[in-house]
Amino acid sequence: MANIPTAKEIEQLIAAGAAESVTLEFKVAPWERTDQGKRESLKDITAMANTRGGLILVGIAEENNAAKAIAPLTVEAAESERSRLNDLITAGVEPRLYGVTIEAVAVEGGVVLAILTPRSPSRPHRVTSVGSNRFWLRNSTAAYEANVADLKGLFLQSAETTERAARYHRERVDRIRSGDVVPNISEALGSIVLHVIPGDAFSGASPIDPRRAYELRQCFKPLGVDDFTSTFTFEGFLTFRGGDSCHGYTLVGREGVVESVKVNLGSIGRLPVFPIEAVVVNSTLEFARGLQKLEVVPPYYVYVTLEGAGGRFVSYTTHQEEAQLVRQRNLHLPVAVLNEWGDAATVGVAFKPAFDAMWNAGGLAGSQSYDSGQWVQKFRS
């Protein structure tokens, strides 16, 4: 069940004697409010997040692992449990688990507490609450502790996602100038190509409705501009700037990937690093906020290529003498990983390896935008 069920749907589960499964669990009462109860609740929730996602219904009596009757909770008890579980998930799971929805569904005599957990793109998650340090998975009737082979498979899946995201970015950089995305893309040399790729982008689990992206279009403006035009395309939803020639766009793909391009790196011969950092951080932050509203959870893998950077020198002050020229034609910067929704400072810290590499390409020791490890914006984008 991909959504919080209605009262009617819960009644249908009872009438059908629905059996527990990999994605469905029944509990007659909330977990005990003890240390063991805390661990048990997080075990059940993370097991679903680490496997296929699923639904836990609290307030359903079961017999032989099948739904038998509704055993409603009081509104007060359900609200107290909802608040407690949200706090436990925040404090007792690593890495941070996003996207768990907990709601009380009104039924005759009270409520049923529904806990909807998506399959997590950040899996595997471990339970760390009250001294625990375990990973859990789920089979058809219960949670079980992951063994070495299980964990190896989960970590390999994560590594394969990263490799696929990097390959996707490189392939798209090669395609953009072909006119496949925007037929009238400007031929001006030099551009920023940015991709925000959710960890679950290639699973097909949660396709994006382009109409919803349209409603959130202010979150998906082309890099560094406020005025834009928008339209729907075969690939998803597009915002773009320019007339006869397109000087930038942002595409929100159906799979949740955000692709944004800004044509023109600035003055000939110079690579204006402070403006580039500002537009990359601030636009990525807005894209992440848009994805959050679209219920696309972290992690996000963010790749940036500076196309046509070769032959320029890193420019960071008006009084700067020419320094070492960038030798690479295109700078494919190291990936930035956003494991949580945050602010500009959080995003800036994630980009430090990428920005350091950009400055390194011009013969400099690293980005000068960091003070005690914290990113400090030096240019108003």
Side-chain angles (χ1 to χ4, degrees):
M1 194 170 287
N3 299 295
I4 295 291
T6 64
K8 183 177 181 180
E9 289 172 331
I10 292 175
E11 291 169 358
Q12 290 172 342
L13 290 174
I14 302 298
E20 291 184 318
S21 67
V22 174
T23 59
L24 181 62
E25 180 178 355
F26 304 118
K27 286 186 64 65
V28 69
W31 295 267
E32 293 182 0
R33 297 203 167 207
T34 61
D35 287 350
Q36 181 61 25
K38 292 176 182 179
R39 290 190 288 265
E40 285 292 319
S41 63
L42 294 180
K43 177 188 76 172
D44 292 339
I45 292 169
T46 58
M48 285 192 166
N50 287 338
T51 309
R52 290 170 52 189
L55 180 68
I56 302 173
L57 293 176
V58 183
I60 303 292
E62 54 88 15
E63 186 175 280
N64 297 324
N65 301 117
K68 182 179 180 182
I70 296 177
L73 311 178
T74 65
V75 173
E76 294 76 16
E79 177 56 30
S80 176
E81 184 68 1
R82 186 187 70 83
S83 178
R84 187 177 78 101
L85 289 174
N86 280 326
D87 290 343
L88 284 173
I89 292 168
T90 300
V93 177
E94 291 183 357
R96 185 80 173 267
L97 176 58
Y98 292 94
V100 179
T101 303
I102 307 175
E103 292 185 11
V105 181
V107 296
E108 185 176 353
V111 298
V112 168
L113 192 66
I115 305 164
L116 185 65
T117 303
R119 186 184 70 153
S120 174
S122 300
R123 62 190 181 278
H125 298 271
R126 62 174 176 154
V127 175
T128 60
S129 180
V130 202
S132 181
N133 186 26
R134 295 182 175 184
F135 295 87
W136 299 93
L137 294 169
R138 183 170 174 83
N139 58 26
S140 59
T141 58
Y144 65 94
E145 188 170 2
N147 60 29
V148 173
D150 293 327
L151 290 174
K152 183 178 179 180
L154 288 168
F155 284 116
L156 281 175
Q157 288 175 22
S158 179
E160 289 170 0
T161 297
T162 305
E163 292 174 5
R164 186 170 180 181
R167 186 167 62 250
Y168 178 92
H169 172 71
R170 293 290 188 106
E171 291 172 351
R172 293 293 294 189
V173 170
D174 292 338
R175 285 185 55 195
I176 284 167
R177 291 291 183 177
S178 70
D180 284 354
V181 183
V182 177
N184 60 333
I185 190 78
S186 171
E187 295 182 1
L189 293 176
S191 63
I192 303 172
V193 181
L194 181 151
H195 285 102
V196 180
I197 305 177
D200 236 10
F202 307 114
S203 70
S206 302
I208 298 299
D209 184 343
R211 293 170 296 184
R212 179 65 177 134
Y214 169 79
E215 294 171 358
L216 298 168
R217 58 192 177 279
Q218 289 298 325
C219 293
F220 299 112
K221 297 180 288 189
L223 292 172
V225 301
D226 290 320
D227 297 325
F228 59 89
T229 304
S230 58
T231 188
F232 296 97
T233 74
F234 177 75
E235 292 185 289
F237 171 71
L238 184 77
T239 64
F240 61 95
R241 57 186 289 259
D244 294 337
S245 293
C246 175
H247 298 287
Y249 69 83
T250 296
L251 171 69
V252 184
R254 299 177 192 278
E255 72 286 355
V257 174
V258 179
E259 174 178 284
S260 198
V261 176
K262 180 182 184 298
V263 177
N264 191 350
L265 283 176
S267 303
I268 296 175
R270 294 174 179 265
L271 190 65
V273 285
F274 286 142
I276 289 172
E277 289 179 347
V279 74
V280 166
V281 168
N282 292 321
S283 294
T284 298
L285 178 61
E286 287 302 309
F287 298 157
R289 287 172 174 166
L291 288 173
Q292 179 180 8
K293 292 174 182 177
L294 289 169
E295 299 181 355
V296 179
V297 300
Y300 306 135
Y301 302 95
V302 189
Y303 293 86
V304 177
T305 288
L306 304 179
E307 185 190 39
R312 298 169 181 260
F313 71 93
V314 168
S315 173
Y316 58 95
T317 173
T318 56
H319 304 292
Q320 177 186 348
E321 296 182 1
E322 291 195 11
Q324 174 180 311
L325 297 180
V326 175
R327 294 186 298 104
Q328 295 82 358
R329 180 180 180 278
N330 297 331
L331 286 182
H332 298 286
L333 302 183
V335 62
V337 182
L338 305 182
N339 288 308
E340 60 182 342
W341 296 302
D343 54 16
T346 303
V347 176
V349 169
F351 272 107
K352 189 175 190 305
F355 292 162
D356 280 346
M358 176 173 63
W359 288 65
N360 293 160
L364 299 166
S367 172
Q368 296 184 16
S369 296
Y370 292 85
D371 183 6
S372 299
Q374 298 301 307
W375 183 73
V376 180
Q377 183 168 326
K378 298 294 182 68
F379 180 86
R380 184 181 297 276
S381 63

